[in-house]
Structures are given as structure tokens and as C-alpha cells.
Amino acid sequence: MSGNKYEVALDETWELFGQYMSGTRAGLCCVISSEPLSEAAEKALNSSLAALGHGHDACTYVVPGDLDQQALFVLIEGLDPICIVAADGKSAALLGQAYHLAVPSGKATRLLGRTAISFLDFGSLLQTPQDKQIAWALLKKLPKFGDKRG
């Protein structure tokens, strides 16, 4: 076996769940959505994470499909991101079931030490400048990479 234990877990996670994932292989942010996000939504998330210091292409996208809550938990823990975004209400509900915690829409919460935020429908917030500001205000609750305040 080569690599460190984190690389091994990441490799195993992609082997087991690769059909449910896209984007960056070792993303700092795990974005969960009930349906694949539009190209515009992915671009907005990547740009937002870059503005927070996470670099470009910081997101691993997960569309759980037929995964149950336990499988989603294993998937996320295998990816070991520093933050999690639930892009819609359905994915937030499944995420909450997986971690046995409420994942309230429009607020930041903690899931095993990770900051998580949830939108009712991220894609719909890209339609107007005002809605984009609402989305950005929530995204700014994610940790800034290297931010000592956490």
C-alpha cells in the first residue's frame, strides 16, 4: 500500500462512490445537491471558494442519488473536506440525517468540526444581483483558508 492514510481513504472513497461525484478529486469543499448543478452554479461556487482563499476548483460535487444516509456519511468522511455546502433543501435533509443533526437553511452549522451551510435552492439565487448577494453572505460563513479565527 502506498501513500498516507488520507490518500488511501480518498482513493477508496472514489472507488466506492465515484459515480456520485465530480469536480476536484480532493476538494476542500464538498458540495451536495439532489440534482447536478448547472455550469453557472458550479462556476459561482468555485469563484466564491477561490475568493475565500481555497483556490480555484476547490469543490467536489456529490449528487447522492440512491445513497442512503449512512453511505453519504461514509462518502463525506472519506473525502474529509474542510467545509460542506448543501445546495438545496433535499440534500440538506439527507445531510442532516447522515450526521444526526439539523442542517438549517440559510445558516452555518458544524458537522464533526466542519462548517456546513445550506441553501433551499442555490441555483435560483443566481438570477438577480440581490439574490447573488444573499448567496454570497451565506458563503462567507465558510472558513477562509488560513483564517486564524476559524
Side-chain angles (χ1 to χ4, degrees):
M1 188 167 13
S2 64
N4 66 40
K5 66 181 180 178
Y6 300 106
E7 290 171 344
V8 170
L10 186 61
D11 289 343
E12 290 175 350
T13 300
W14 276 92
E15 284 177 31
L16 287 170
F17 302 109
Q19 67 185 10
Y20 301 99
M21 299 185 292
S22 64
T24 303
R25 184 176 177 279
L28 298 175
C29 181
C30 178
V31 180
I32 303 164
S33 59
S34 60
E35 299 290 330
L37 294 174
S38 68
E39 187 176 322
E42 286 189 10
K43 184 178 178 183
L45 286 165
N46 279 321
S47 295
S48 297
L49 271 288
L52 293 172
H54 294 252
H56 295 283
D57 300 319
C59 299
T60 302
Y61 298 95
V62 175
V63 179
D66 60 355
L67 291 178
D68 64 17
Q69 63 195 36
Q70 184 176 4
L72 181 62
F73 179 84
V74 171
L75 184 158
I76 293 169
E77 290 304 308
L79 291 175
D80 195 22
I82 64 168
C83 56
I84 302 170
V85 173
D88 55 62
K90 187 175 178 182
S91 59
L94 184 59
L95 184 62
Q97 292 168 359
Y99 283 86
H100 304 288
L101 293 168
V103 180
S105 178
K107 296 182 181 180
T109 191
R110 302 288 285 176
L111 300 175
L112 291 183
R114 294 179 189 93
T115 301
I117 60 171
S118 171
F119 295 93
L120 284 178
D121 184 355
F122 179 75
S124 71
L125 292 175
L126 302 178
Q127 305 306 311
T128 69
Q130 182 179 0
D131 286 342
K132 286 180 184 178
Q133 288 301 313
I134 291 169
W136 175 236
L138 184 55
L139 286 163
K140 287 193 300 186
K141 294 183 181 202
L142 294 173
K144 292 181 181 175
F145 194 78
D147 187 356
K148 304 292 186 230
R149 295 173 286 144

